[in-house]
């Protein structure tokens, strides 16, 4: 089945991924491409959205997209930088704002006869994020909306399906933002909203059957959402020809290796558990540098995985749980304007000695879509709702060198914290949580005895994609009980602290 597609041109805005996700929430498939790397077949896209940007259209370095195959030929929505670009280079005027226009604003004027703004009223809250402002509309520009401080907050081009807005409809703070996108995409561009989790599963499974045939595929399961959903899609397509390997690196949560392995087998997957704990801990012995710890774990994982894959005769494919944000960030690193947040182990290929082709069934999905696809296949909520867990596991939550005793302590602390969140009904309100073993001892008193034991930090954050995160204001009563439980139940710990840093400036993990 061929779905209507939306093209989003990225000019480096921190909100570009949000545009794509809002469009996907309307059951419409969207793709992000750098403004200077347009797809070869523009005709394949039903409409185009131009993103915002940290760049000024007035600067010599202003980003210039090639709109010759788009403007006037396809419905187009220009957001923030896009709106300024159309104005500045089409007979209008853009100037520096007297003050930086950032944050909440309310529409003071709305053209109620305009289908683009149907259902949007004066007083509707929008989110502004710009330092330039449109002083004069472009040729044939028609004003559609204003705020008290921004006269030209929205406009259209006469005789074209071209619309422009100074604010960001993709941000949650724009209360009617989703409605505006719906008006543009469905009512004006006539896009068919038929891209659903069920249709994704059906089409992906059929595509995998054609792509893989009777070939054997090997997949490294991590216990996380992405690899688990990828495994179920492949299992539906090729059944026993999917060989799953679940490696215990000795740095998983308490009892996680046995518990998750049993859960996978209960899902009908052809899975082999490999306990390589000793091998990983040997490789980490005496190592305290965070980056070298990560590289040691990555190296050993590939070695263990390769050993196991070589025991499967005639395996031809490696399946990976790569998701769309990984792909976007990797593309941006090679020419797109968005700042690269991190490199991704899932993107960029394999070591030369692993002669396998890659299959990535989730590479078109965002994390929240992966969960919805898993739910549509009947996967357990417990698995789909699992918090993200770092690939290197507890190694980067033990600051300093790694020992078996430190792993034991942190596993026990983590179990008290995570189980406590579940028992208190708080687990699903937190995006990610964990404990960090600090490289310091502190003085304490237990009974009549002086102690000199470890300090642990608890971390809980709320986020949508991990790119930004706020610390969670957990109830004092919960923190008090958790601290008491940890100190009383975990031998070797006498002090508990709570991390109240947000990202940025801090990161979610400590290493």
């Amino acid at each position: 089945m061929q779905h209507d597609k939306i093209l989003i041109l990225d000019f480096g805005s921190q909100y570009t991924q949000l545009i794509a996700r809002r469009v996907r929430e309307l059951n419409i498939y969207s793709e992000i491409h750098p403004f200077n790397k347009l797809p070869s077949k523009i005709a394949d896209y039903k409409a185009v959205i131009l993103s915002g940007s940290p760049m000024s259209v007035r600067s010599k370095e202003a980003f210039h997209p090639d709109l010759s195959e788009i403007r006037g030929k396809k419905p187009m929505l220009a957001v923030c930088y896009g709106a300024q670009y159309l104005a500045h280079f089409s007979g209008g005027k853009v100037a520096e704002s007297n003050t930086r226009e950032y944050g909440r604003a309310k529409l003071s004027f709305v053209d109620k006869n305009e289908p683009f703004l149907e259902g949007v009223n004066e007083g509707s809250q929008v989110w502004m994020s710009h330092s330039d402002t449109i002083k004069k509309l472009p040729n044939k520009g028609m004003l559609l909306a204003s705020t008290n401080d921004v006269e030209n907050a929205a406009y259209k081009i006469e005789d074209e399906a071209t619309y422009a807005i100074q604010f960001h409809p993709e941000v949650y703070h724009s209360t009617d933002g989703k409605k505006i996108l719906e008006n543009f995409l469905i009512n004006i561009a006539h896009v068919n909203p038929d891209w659903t989790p069920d249709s994704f599963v059906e089409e992906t499974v059929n595509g995998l059957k054609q792509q893989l045939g009777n070939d054997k595929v090997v997949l490294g399961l991590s216990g996380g959402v992405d690899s688990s959903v990828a495994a179920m899609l492949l299992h539906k397509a090729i059944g026993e020809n999917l060989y799953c390997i679940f490696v215990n690196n000795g740095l998983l949560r308490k009892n996680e290796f046995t518990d998750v392995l049993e859960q996978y087998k209960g899902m009908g997957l052809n899975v082999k558990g490999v306990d390589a704990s000793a091998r990983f801990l040997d490789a980490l012995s005496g190592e305290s540098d965070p980056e070298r710890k990560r590289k040691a774990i990555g190296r050993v994982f590939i070695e263990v995985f390769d050993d196991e894959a070589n025991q499967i005769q005639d395996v031809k494919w490696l399946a990976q749980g790569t998701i769309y944000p990984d792909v976007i960030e990797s593309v941006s690193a090679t020419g797109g304007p968005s700042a690269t947040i991190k490199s991704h182990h899932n993107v960029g290929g394999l070591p030369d000695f692993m002669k396998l082709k890659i299959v990535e069934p989730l590479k078109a999905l965002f994390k929240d879509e992966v969960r919805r696809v898993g739910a549509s296949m009947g996967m357990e909520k417990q698995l789909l709702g699992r918090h993200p867990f770092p690939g290197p596991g507890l190694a980067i939550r033990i600051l300093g060198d790694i020992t078996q005793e430190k792993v034991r302590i942190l596993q026990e602390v983590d179990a008290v914290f995570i189980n406590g969140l579940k028992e208190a009904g708080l687990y699903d309100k937190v995006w990610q949580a964990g404990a960090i073993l600090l490289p310091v001892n502190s003085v304490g008193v237990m009974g009549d005895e002086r102690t000199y034991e470890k300090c642990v930090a608890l971390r809980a954050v709320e986020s949508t994609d991990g790119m930004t995160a706020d610390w969670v204001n957990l109830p004092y009563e919960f923190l008090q009980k958790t601290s008491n439980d940890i100190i009383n139940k975990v031998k070797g710990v006498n002090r508990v602290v709570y991390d109240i840093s947000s990202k940025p400036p801090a990161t979610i993990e400590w290493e």
Side-chain angles (χ1 to χ4, degrees), residues 18 113 116 159 195-196 204 227 232 260 274 279 290 327 374 377 400 403 425 471 475 510:
L18 275 182
N113 297 318
F116 178 66
D159 302 325
W195 198 69
T196 64
T204 301
S227 68
M232 286 304 295
V260 174
V274 181
R279 192 166 170 178
V327 176
M377 291 190 291
T403 67
W471 62 278
W510 281 41

Side-chain angles (χ1 to χ4, degrees), residues 61-78:
E61 296 80 25
F63 297 140
H64 291 278
D66 179 6
L67 301 178
S68 59
E69 295 300 313
I70 300 171
R71 173 126 186 229
K73 299 177 181 179
K74 289 185 177 294
M76 184 171 71
L77 173 60

